[in-house]
Structure formats: structure tokens, C-alpha cells
Amino acid sequence: MGTKNTIDMLNGPLARPMLMFALPLIASGVLQQSFNSVDVAVVGRFAGSDALAAVGSNGPVIGLLINMFLGLSVGVNVVIANYIGQRNSRGVRAAVSAAAVMAVLSGVIMLVTSQIVARPLLTALDTPASCLDQAVEYLRIYSVGMPFMIIYNFGAAILRSVGDTRRPFYCLVASGIINVVLNLIFVIGFGMGVAGVAWATVFANLANAVIVVYLLAREQGDIRLDLRSITPDMQQMSKIIRVGFPAGLQSTVFSISNVFILSSINSFGSAAAAGSAAAINYEMYCYFVINAFAQTAVAFISQNYGAGQLDRCRRALRISLVYSVSTSIFLNCLITFNSGLFLSPFTTDPEVLYFAAERVTTALLFQWVACYYEMAGSAMRGLGYSMTPAIITIFGTCVLRLFWVGFFPADGSFAALLAVYPVSWLLTDVAMMAALARIRRRLPRAAEASEAASPTAAANA
């Protein structure tokens, strides 16, 4: 499997290889979020607060629409990485082919669904009337690029399974440049407003998909994508779904809870919606750092579990947790205590800045609390226990947020509404800690029963 782009996850020290694996993922996450950040900054500066609110209001909605299918890419990563740990070349090739079929089907489903539900969904979420039409226009255009987005994410998951996180990052560098240049041309040059930033993102996603498919088609190892012999291998698709569906379900329900919170935020008016949209950019930047170490844990633990090396699985979890907590605390504090500087690129409206600063202080400052449940959940998925962290996150985070919004008083403050974030993160940490301790007690017996355990053997635990 080894090439100059891969990382040996099964032998030697773990700390440095895990950091080398995570750094391109962090950079990739930052670039992906930069697509939205540039959209928000350009429309906020050159198209006004209503356009800013229109683009920002779509963040949770887009997450709701695509997270189930993006969650399946976690299954791609786990299944292929586990086959690599078992040194099962035939299984790797079959899983790659199945992933390609699933990516195309998922993309088409998302495109059609988004076009149908755009206006009804945004209307149901009490999107301010002053920006509703622009929000609908943005979502419908943005959805044209969803198939390309999903193809890229599935392709990147295949590359990550062998330790290659650099080339997916290079893909994003190229598409990021395209996105920024087209934003400036379409919005400032042609005055296209929200339509301009949406089309810029579509073309950036198209570039991503083309490049990652090209890279996989030219691979020399088992992860090579043979475009002439792609087949819908139902057995491999089932394995991917068994691991990826719980992750996608978790992300989808998570997005549902955020959508309900968005509806409450919208009730404070367009300034609150715009301010929240600006602040969310930094929450997402910091989350992508956490997510990078979580993906690192999944890849390293999946391969080592496939190879029967449980001690390395435990060490990989500890290292990812140390990296994510320390980095998150630094970034959360840096942005919070310099919020005026970080928020200024998005708007100069004092009321919008007030709401943005409220969100930063209430939610972003405590985001590091989410590190434990993210790392523990990733470890469980790498071990094949995909449903367990999904259920815990759904109840510990999502259901609590729905109750919080449901019982939120009409005269409540903006900060009180957003306090649900740190509270839900802490409760989910506690539940995840108990579940992981229970699974750890099972591992020695599971390893003795099957040295080359399937990553989906315990997916429904």
C-alpha cells in the first residue's frame, strides 16, 4: 500500500505520524470553511446585511441536507482502513468501487431534494422576510454543486484511509483560489449578489471533484479507481452503510437541532441572524481542528484494530485527545479575546457586531469541551461501534437542544439561548466517557474471538 503520499499507521511511534496526518486535514477544513467565509464576507461588505443574513441562514440548512451522505464517507474510511490493516487487497478494491457508486447516487439525491425543499424549509424556519427570496436563490444554486461536494468527500475519504491527507488538501487549495476569484468577479464585478457567491462555490466544488477523481484514477495501489469497471458491490455498500449511516444520522439530527436554534435566532431579527452567521464562521474553523484530530483517530484506530493492535488503538485515542484539547483552548481564547478584530471583516454594522460578539463569548469560548465526545466517538467508530456514539450524541446534544428551544421563554436573552451549546457538550462528554469505558472492557475478548474483526461487526451495538 505504501507510496510517498501515505503514512505507516501500523508501526513505530504514533504522535508525529498522527500530527502529520492531521495537519493537512486542519488546513483542508479551514479551506472548506473559507468557501462559506468568503461568501459571507463578500456579501456582507458589498451586498448588505440582508444578503449576509440570507447566506448565513443557509449554513444549518445545508448541513441538514448533506450531512447524512457526508457521514457515509466515514464508513468509506473505516471499511477501507480496516481492510488495509488486514492486508486484504481484494476487499480494498471492492470497497473503492462501491464508494464511487454511492457518491454519485448520493449527489443526485441531494440535488433533487434541495431544489424541492428550498423555499418550504427556509419559510418554516422563520427566515426574515427581507432576505427570504435571496436565501432561497442561494440554496437552489448552491445545491447544483452538492453532487461534486459529495464526490470530493468520498474520494478524500479513500485517500485518507491509506494516510494520504496531503493531496485532498492540494485539491482544496486549487478550488479555494477558484472560489475567491469568482466571488470577487461575480459579486463586485457583475453585481450578482448572493447568486454570485453561490455560483462561485458550485464551480469550486466542481474543480474539487474533478481533481480527486483524476488522482484516484491514476493511483497505482489498491485504492486505484478504475472508471471502466465500477460496480455496485452490495456487500461492500452494506458495510459502508452500517458504519457510515449512524455517523450520518448523528450529523443529520445534530443539524436538525441547530436548525431549530436558527429559527429561534431568527426571531431576534435580521441583525441577530447576520451576527450569528458571522460568528459561526469561527465556530466552524475551530470545529474543523477538532474534526481533523477525530478523523485522525478514526483512520489510525481502524487500521490498528484490523491488525489486532489494541494497545496502539488506546494510545491513538489519548494522543488525539491531547492534541485537540490543547489546540482548541488556544484558538477559542484567541478569537474570543480579540473578537472585534476577527469579526470586523464581515460587517461594520454595530448591531450585527453586538450579536456576533454575544455568540462568540457564549458558545465559541467553551467549544473545547466538545473535544472529548468527538475523540471518543471517533475511537468507537474505528473499533466498529458506530451506532453507540451516534445515539449518545443524538440524545446528549441534539434532544437537549430541542427541549431548550422548545421551552425557551419569549422574553429570553440571546446569550441564554446560546448557552445550550456548552451545556449540551458537557453532558455528552459524560455519557460518552461511560460508553467508551464499557466498550474497552469488551475489547480483549473481541480480539481473541476474531483477530481480523470486521469494522462493521459491532456497528449496531
Side-chain angles (χ1 to χ4, degrees):
M1 294 287 180
T3 72
K4 64 180 181 179
N5 294 305
T6 62
I7 292 175
D8 184 358
M9 304 184 198
L10 301 174
N11 305 285
L14 284 170
R16 187 177 185 279
M18 289 183 70
L19 183 60
M20 292 302 99
F21 186 99
L23 287 176
L25 284 175
I26 293 172
S28 297
V30 168
L31 279 177
Q32 279 190 305
Q33 179 57 27
S34 293
F35 289 174
N36 288 331
S37 295
V38 170
D39 291 353
V40 171
V42 170
V43 297
R45 284 285 188 171
F46 299 100
S49 295
D50 284 340
L52 173 61
V55 174
S57 295
N58 270 294
V61 175
I62 291 169
L64 173 63
L65 292 171
I66 69 173
N67 276 343
M68 175 60 74
F69 296 99
L70 293 184
L72 293 177
S73 68
V74 176
V76 172
N77 193 341
V78 171
V79 170
I80 295 177
N82 194 268
Y83 278 136
I84 292 170
Q86 298 174 25
R87 306 194 186 285
N88 184 345
S89 296
R90 182 177 179 182
V92 172
R93 292 192 294 270
V96 168
S97 180
V101 174
M102 293 178 69
V104 174
L105 291 176
S106 299
V108 172
I109 292 171
M110 287 318 309
L111 172 59
V112 174
T113 302
S114 300
Q115 293 293 327
I116 294 172
V117 305
R119 182 172 290 276
L121 184 55
L122 287 165
T123 301
L125 294 173
D126 294 326
T127 303
S130 60
C131 63
L132 176 61
D133 288 341
Q134 293 183 79
V136 172
E137 180 183 24
Y138 178 84
L139 180 55
R140 284 181 171 161
I141 297 173
Y142 185 99
S143 67
V144 175
M146 285 183 179
F148 309 126
M149 179 193 306
I150 293 174
I151 289 171
Y152 165 77
N153 277 278
F154 273 62
I158 294 171
L159 292 171
R160 286 196 300 269
S161 67
V162 295
D164 183 0
T165 56
R166 290 188 298 169
R167 286 186 293 172
F169 168 65
Y170 299 151
C171 293
L172 286 170
V173 170
S175 59
I177 293 171
I178 292 171
N179 188 64
V180 171
V181 171
L182 291 181
N183 263 319
L184 298 176
I185 293 174
F186 291 161
V187 178
I188 301 175
F190 296 158
M192 293 172 63
V194 296
V197 295
W199 280 116
T201 304
V202 169
F203 288 119
N205 285 327
L206 172 61
N208 258 343
V210 170
I211 296 171
V212 80
V213 169
Y214 174 80
L215 291 175
L216 288 171
R218 290 179 58 84
E219 272 292 312
Q220 300 303 312
D222 292 330
I223 63 167
R224 179 175 178 268
L225 178 62
D226 188 347
L227 297 174
R228 294 170 298 182
S229 61
I230 294 176
T231 55
D233 188 318
M234 298 307 296
Q235 181 181 8
Q236 299 303 324
M237 291 172 71
S238 176
K239 288 184 176 182
I240 292 170
I241 290 171
R242 288 183 66 188
V243 176
F245 175 77
L249 178 64
Q250 171 187 319
S251 297
T252 300
V253 177
F254 198 88
S255 295
I256 290 173
S257 68
N258 285 336
V259 163
F260 275 93
I261 294 175
L262 172 64
S263 179
S264 294
I265 289 172
N266 288 340
S267 70
F268 285 89
S270 61
S276 181
I280 285 175
N281 283 278
Y282 292 108
E283 291 176 29
M284 294 306 301
Y285 278 124
C286 294
Y287 171 75
F288 276 119
V289 174
I290 299 173
N291 184 251
F293 289 116
Q295 290 185 55
T296 302
V298 166
F300 275 75
I301 291 173
S302 296
Q303 277 204 25
N304 282 283
Y305 185 54
Q309 302 183 137
L310 296 181
D311 182 62
R312 288 178 67 85
C313 294
R314 297 185 186 98
R315 284 192 285 140
L317 172 58
R318 289 196 298 268
I319 291 168
S320 63
L321 189 58
V322 170
Y323 281 149
S324 62
V325 171
S326 57
T327 307
S328 295
I329 289 176
F330 171 76
L331 291 174
N332 295 163
C333 292
L334 175 67
I335 296 170
T336 300
F337 298 125
N338 297 278
S339 60
L341 174 65
F342 283 99
L343 293 171
S344 60
F346 295 99
T347 182
T348 56
D349 187 323
E351 188 178 8
V352 173
L353 286 171
Y354 167 78
F355 282 107
E358 281 278 282
R359 177 154 189 146
V360 167
T361 304
T362 307
L364 178 63
L365 180 59
F366 303 100
Q367 194 180 34
W368 59 272
V369 176
C371 289
Y372 182 82
Y373 85 76
E374 290 283 355
M375 298 309 118
S378 295
M380 287 186 240
R381 291 188 187 94
L383 296 169
Y385 292 81
S386 190
M387 188 61 76
T388 301
I391 292 174
I392 291 172
T393 304
I394 287 171
F395 281 93
T397 299
C398 308
V399 174
L400 173 63
R401 292 180 184 179
L402 294 178
F403 274 106
W404 193 285
V405 171
F407 291 98
F408 188 74
D411 59 348
S413 69
F414 190 66
L417 172 65
L418 298 177
V420 67
Y421 287 105
V423 171
S424 61
W425 292 331
L426 182 60
L427 292 177
T428 307
D429 280 349
V430 173
M432 203 73 78
M433 187 179 299
L436 183 58
R438 177 170 169 265
I439 288 173
R440 277 174 166 168
R441 290 193 292 270
R442 296 181 183 179
L443 290 181
R445 293 194 298 272
E448 290 170 7
S450 176
E451 185 174 322
S454 166
T456 59
N460 292 317

